[in-house]
Amino acid sequence: MKSSAHETIKSKGYKLTHQRQLILSILEGSQTHLDAEALFLLAKRRDPKISLATVYRSLSTFKKIGLIQEQGFGEDHGHFETVSNKPHFHFTCSQCGQVTELRSKKIIRLIKELCQEEDLKMESMDLLIQGLCPVCQEKKSTSTTS
Amino acid sequence: MKSSAHETIKSKGYKLTHQRQLILSILEGSQTHLDAEALFLLAKRRDPKISLATVYRSLSTFKKIGLIQEQGFGEDHGHFETVSNKPHFHFTCSQCGQVTELRSKKIIRLIKELCQEEDLKMESMDLLIQGLCPVCQEKKSTSTTS
DNA sequence: ATGAAAATGCGAATTATTCTCAATTATATT
DNA sequence: AATATAATTGAGAATAATTCGCATTTTCAT
Ligand SMILES: [Mn+2]
Ligand SMILES: [Mn+2]
Ligand SMILES: [Zn+2]
Ligand SMILES: [Zn+2]
């Protein structure tokens, strides 16, 4: 029951390079949803020679073998998180951009049922909700209530 | 109770140019989820002088005033649809790329409840499911069952 | 009809991501 | 441990979607 991610990489026929290990460990250790650039900057602190292209290639590989997932968040670039986390949804605040994770076993079950009814074989789901976080709701009502 | 989209454009202080009317009418008449390039090609058939930049600018404006919504579909470019359609979800086949629309009043209600519980004010939601459509499931099982 | 402000067309610029290719590295084999 | 081979990397060029800059045109209130 050790580092199964490393096993997955090798079992899929990919080499366990130290760049891949580094990138993966950053993703696993991060609580936030990193984008490629942020990940690259963090990686460079431990390996100043690492290339942005390698970050993108690793992300692509990890995604292909199911170690990570990419999130859109309605921006012009992706964000990444490990798949180990239980399935969840994302809420992004349209004002401050903060990302909140939401969970609901019930909703997930209903989505699966919906797919079965339509004879669709689900491989992944992504629910993104946009709106105002509690803090920004407060700000807005304060400035409006003159 | 007439063309409320035109009214919306003017009421928000935007000018009702014939380019905007054209782009909007194409979006309203389309059954598919057009991307900017496809929309541009269709628009050029009726106005050969129209610019791709104008298409992007119009899409951006329409999105801002709530006339249309942009969908990610996990690609490197957006797809667009009018908001008039009842809220719905999207399923894209990872094999053939086909997009299917799904509806579930129940799921929408549960999502709204989930947001209320967390004190989040929802402005929009996007549920994207990826998987295999019935046709591609069939193809896969046929080729596998030697 | 006139004028001011907004919008357009066109090409250049920008940004995220991918590609090319020579040099390096991981792994299997000796 | 040394070698061979194929995969991977770094660096920068290339690409693709989208945005910008600006001169010209159009909308719309007067
Ligand atoms: Mn971001
Ligand atoms: Mn597309
Ligand atoms: Zn997440
Ligand atoms: Zn749709």
Side-chain angles (χ1 to χ4, degrees), chain B residues 10 15-16 18 52-53 56-57 76-78:
Chain B
K10 301 199 72 174
K15 292 182 175 172
L16 191 57
H18 77 83
L52 180 56
Y56 275 108
R57 283 184 289 231
D76 63 347
H77 57 267

Side-chain angles (χ1 to χ4, degrees), chain A residues 33 81 88 90 101:
Chain A
H33 299 81
E81 67 182 332
H88 59 272
H90 294 100
E101 301 203 335

Side-chain angles (χ1 to χ4, degrees), chain A residues 31-142:
Chain A
Q31 229 52 38
T32 64
H33 299 81
L34 297 168
D35 60 30
E37 187 69 22
L39 183 48
F40 172 56
L41 260 30
L42 289 171
K44 246 194 332 196
R45 302 213 300 222
R46 289 221 259 147
D47 176 359
K49 283 284 134 66
I50 200 169
S51 152
L52 180 56
T54 294
V55 171
Y56 275 107
R57 283 185 290 232
S58 297
L59 288 170
S60 166
T61 300
F62 295 162
K63 206 166 59 156
K64 179 160 45 180
I65 62 182
L67 291 178
I68 66 172
Q69 256 188 272
E70 180 168 8
Q71 300 296 337
F73 294 164
E75 295 181 284
D76 64 348
H77 57 268
H79 288 246
F80 302 85
E81 67 182 332
T82 58
V83 159
S84 63
N85 313 325
K86 306 283 182 300
H88 59 272
F89 314 129
H90 294 100
F91 176 95
T92 67
C93 179
S94 56
Q95 209 74 67
C96 70
Q98 187 186 131
V99 177
T100 308
E101 301 203 335
L102 300 169
R103 280 148 223 277
S104 164
K105 203 68 198 132
K106 197 176 196 177
I107 292 174
I108 290 172
R109 177 158 29 81
L110 285 173
I111 292 171
K112 284 179 181 166
E113 286 174 18
L114 181 61
C115 286
Q116 285 182 301
E117 285 166 22
E118 305 289 330
D119 193 23
L120 301 167
K121 184 176 177 193
M122 183 190 328
E123 291 171 342
S124 71
M125 72 172 79
D126 261 304
L127 172 59
L128 176 64
I129 302 165
Q130 301 231 45
L132 290 175
C133 73
V135 174
C136 289
Q137 287 174 56
E138 193 51 46
K139 278 183 193 155
K140 180 150 287 184
S141 69
T142 303

Side-chain angles (χ1 to χ4, degrees), chain B:
Chain B
M1 235 132 271
K2 282 190 53 197
S3 59
S4 69
H6 287 191
E7 301 306 322
T8 304
I9 290 174
K10 301 199 72 174
S11 75
K12 297 282 181 180
Y14 294 102
K15 292 182 175 172
L16 191 57
T17 66
H18 77 83
Q19 288 93 335
R20 282 176 179 160
Q21 297 180 60
L22 172 56
I23 291 166
L24 193 56
S25 76
I26 292 173
L27 284 168
E28 286 171 340
S30 171
Q31 230 51 39
T32 65
H33 299 81
L34 297 169
D35 59 31
E37 186 68 23
L39 183 48
F40 173 56
L41 260 30
L42 289 171
K44 248 197 326 199
R45 304 212 298 221
R46 289 222 258 147
D47 176 358
K49 284 282 135 67
I50 200 170
S51 152
L52 180 56
T54 294
V55 171
Y56 275 108
R57 283 184 289 231
S58 297
L59 288 171
S60 167
T61 300
F62 295 162
K63 205 165 61 158
K64 181 161 42 179
I65 62 183
L67 291 178
I68 65 171
Q69 255 188 274
E70 179 169 8
Q71 302 295 338
F73 295 163
E75 296 181 281
D76 63 347
H77 57 267
H79 288 247
F80 302 85
E81 66 182 331
T82 58
V83 159
S84 62
N85 313 324
K86 306 282 180 301
H88 58 271
F89 313 130
H90 294 101
F91 176 94
T92 67
C93 178
S94 55
Q95 211 72 66
C96 70
Q98 188 185 131
V99 176
T100 308
E101 301 202 336
L102 300 169
R103 281 149 221 277
S104 165
K105 204 67 199 131
K106 197 176 195 178
I107 291 175
I108 289 173
R109 176 157 29 80
L110 286 173
I111 292 171
K112 284 179 181 166
E113 286 174 18
L114 180 61
C115 286
Q116 285 181 301
E117 285 166 22
E118 305 289 332
D119 192 24
L120 301 168
K121 183 177 178 191
M122 183 190 330
E123 291 171 341
S124 71
M125 72 172 77
D126 260 304
L127 171 59
L128 177 64
I129 303 165
Q130 300 231 46
L132 291 176
C133 72
V135 174
C136 288
Q137 287 174 56
E138 192 50 47
K139 279 182 191 155
K140 181 151 285 184
S141 69
T142 303
S143 69
T144 299
T145 316
S146 79

